[in-house]
């Protein structure tokens, strides 16, 4: 089955829809914090300098199926990196398609910002659970770092 998605920066009417995914992911972010963050991102979008952003993937009916949050960081080791501390998908039918749509949007954003790499953090990682032992950890993440060609 072929799915059609629209992947673009979040708009005001998508903030609450996107929060459903954030909440379901178990992130320690309240609705008020998410709303304030998204409103600030939208307000600053296009202003001078490079700022955080939120990108969503929605299906043809407008249901938000995935999202990611970006931050630009300057690494002494890797140069400018598009850091993606939040990458969330929600689909029983086409998770790979949503991931690919989000990943392509991240690559475009990284190239536009002249980044050398993209670092995507995802939740999970049983190895972290094993190595942190009894340490108080609120959530565990692991991820990938992609070199842009």
């Amino acid at each position: 089955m072929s799915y059609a998605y629209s992947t673009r920066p979040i708009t005001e009417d998508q903030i609450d829809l996107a929060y459903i995914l954030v909440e379901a992911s178990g992130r320690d972010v309240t609705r008020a914090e998410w709303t304030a963050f998204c409103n600030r991102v939208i307000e600053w979008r296009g202003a001078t300098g490079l700022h955080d952003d939120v990108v969503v993937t929605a299906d043809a009916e407008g249901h938000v199926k995935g999202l990611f949050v970006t931050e630009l960081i300057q690494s002494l080791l890797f140069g400018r990196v598009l850091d993606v501390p939040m990458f969330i998908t929600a689909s029983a039918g086409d998770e790979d398609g949503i991931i690919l749509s989000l990943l392509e949007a991240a690559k475009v954003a990284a190239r536009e910002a002249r980044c050398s790499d993209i670092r995507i953090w995802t939740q999970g990682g049983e190895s972290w659970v094993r190595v942190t032992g009894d340490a108080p950890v609120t959530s565990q993440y692991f991820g990938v770092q992609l070199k842009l060609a």
Side-chain angles (χ1 to χ4, degrees):
M1 177 176 264
S2 177
Y3 296 90
Y5 300 108
S6 170
T7 302
R8 57 182 44 124
I10 197 167
T11 57
E12 285 184 41
D13 61 316
Q14 294 173 316
I15 294 172
D16 287 337
L17 298 171
Y19 183 73
I20 294 168
L21 273 64
V22 173
E23 184 177 43
S25 76
R27 297 295 180 119
D28 189 22
V29 177
T30 67
R31 182 180 296 275
E33 290 168 334
W34 176 253
T35 300
F37 172 72
C38 290
N39 282 327
R40 180 60 54 97
V41 162
I42 292 167
E43 176 187 336
W44 286 354
R45 194 176 286 144
T48 59
L50 302 169
H51 302 287
D52 298 357
D53 209 348
V54 179
V55 174
V56 298
T57 291
D59 64 16
E61 290 80 36
H63 301 111
V64 175
K65 297 294 186 176
L67 66 89
F68 66 84
V69 173
T70 63
E71 300 172 345
L72 289 169
I73 61 171
Q74 187 65 38
S75 167
L76 290 174
L77 184 57
F78 301 110
R80 184 178 285 173
V81 176
L82 184 74
D83 201 45
V84 181
M86 188 180 290
F87 191 100
I88 303 170
T89 61
S91 173
D94 188 29
E95 186 174 32
D96 288 354
I98 294 166
I99 290 169
L100 290 171
S101 183
L102 290 168
L103 186 56
E104 185 56 35
K107 288 178 181 178
V108 168
R111 286 188 185 102
E112 287 176 355
R114 294 180 306 283
C115 294
S116 60
D117 292 69
I118 302 171
R119 182 172 51 197
I120 301 173
W121 299 97
T122 58
Q123 287 185 294
E126 290 304 313
S127 59
W128 286 110
V129 174
R130 287 191 302 275
V131 299
T132 56
D134 293 332
V137 177
T138 57
S139 35
Q140 296 90 31
Y141 302 95
F142 69 101
V144 296
Q145 186 155 333
L146 306 171
K147 189 77 167 162
L148 293 176

